[in-house]
Amino acid sequence: MAVGEIECKSILTKSKLPDADYVINPYVGCQFGCSYCYASFMGRFNGHSIEDWGNYIYAKINAPVVLKREFRKISGTKKKILLSSVTDPYQGAEAHYHLTRQSLQIFAAEQYSGPVSILTKSPLVLKDVSILRQIPDVEVGMTVTSTDDSVSRSLEDQAPVVSTRLKTLGKLHDAGIKTYAFVGPIFPHLFLRVEKLESLFQQLAEVGVSQVFAEHVNMSAYILKRLAPAIDRDPSVAEFYRTPDKLKTLTKKIDALVYDLVKKYGLQLRLNQPLHHSDLPKNT
């Protein structure tokens, strides 16, 4: 793992995401290196290839100073802020640099009244509960793609296992912090194992999650290139990722299943629908 330090000119960036106005990314790169991650393209800005994703991190060491300077962009507004969109704000480097913590301390000190949202896979967020409680409108989300730790080890081998993430969501809920889950990507072959997909939504409800995002797998060519080895380890499901017609059919079926499951377990589906991606794999 290559770790470097850089300085940023700006840290509060306008978002193109449907549920955030601005994003804060305290790091470039992510040590979790999940095989399906769309952010692997970020390496091109620092001389890294797609294949390098998960092997480098650059800490934006002046991020808190820049955030203080840029706070005027949002001061007095209700703009929604997301930490983070192309990195994990609580990956291992955060234990050393505390860039996410320092950013949150600014929101707490300023008593920013707009929504502040965190998305992570790491239980390290629990160390900042006391700060989170000081922010008027804050929520913490965990990316949860399965309830099976073996799936985590296959597709997210450097990230905390999913059982740890579920426990973290429960602890945050017990601490009075609003939580949500990002169920994405939903792997299309799970439609063949409906009980596993249902177990995911059931366990989210059991740990106090009330709201979920759902996102279908992004099959852009550069993502499929990194995802292919994991897919090909299970020939019984590979065809569902590599055949556009089958993927389209399963996507529609999964949408219907998601609607049923959120209703069954009393969950709110953020954006009112699963997120879709236009890119589909070519027949192989």
Side-chain angles (χ1 to χ4, degrees), residues 146-159:
S146 170
T147 58
D148 187 344
D149 285 349
S150 67
V151 173
S152 299
R153 286 289 173 240
S154 174
L155 297 167
E156 310 161 331
D157 64 323
Q158 298 302 314

Side-chain angles (χ1 to χ4, degrees), residues 103-235:
S103 297
L104 293 173
Q105 286 173 330
I106 293 171
F107 284 100
E110 295 284 345
Q111 283 295 282
Y112 180 67
S113 59
V116 177
S117 183
I118 297 164
L119 181 60
T120 182
K121 291 185 174 85
S122 173
L124 189 60
V125 66
L126 293 170
K127 293 187 177 295
D128 288 346
V129 164
S130 62
I131 301 171
L132 295 172
R133 285 174 170 159
Q134 298 173 47
I135 301 174
D137 186 1
V138 70
E139 63 177 4
V140 178
M142 287 270 162
T143 300
V144 183
T145 54
S146 170
T147 58
D148 187 344
D149 285 349
S150 67
V151 173
S152 299
R153 286 289 173 240
S154 174
L155 297 167
E156 310 161 331
D157 64 323
Q158 298 302 314
V161 292
V162 70
S163 59
T164 297
R165 293 177 231 165
L166 289 168
K167 290 176 183 176
T168 300
L169 284 168
K171 290 178 180 178
L172 288 164
H173 175 75
D174 292 345
I177 304 298
K178 180 182 175 182
T179 60
Y180 70 97
F182 192 96
V183 183
I186 301 175
F187 300 112
H189 69 272
L190 284 180
F191 187 78
L192 306 179
R193 302 163 190 173
V194 172
E195 72 283 357
K196 290 185 178 292
L197 194 57
E198 177 162 4
S199 176
L200 192 159
F201 284 88
Q202 179 180 356
Q203 291 191 45
L204 289 174
E206 288 174 352
V207 296
V209 168
S210 59
Q211 298 184 346
V212 299
F213 287 93
E215 180 185 38
H216 290 285
V217 64
N218 187 331
M219 297 302 287
S220 298
Y222 78 98
I223 296 175
L224 184 57
K225 185 176 182 180
R226 293 186 64 250
L227 190 55
I231 292 173
D232 292 339
R233 282 196 292 269
D234 188 349

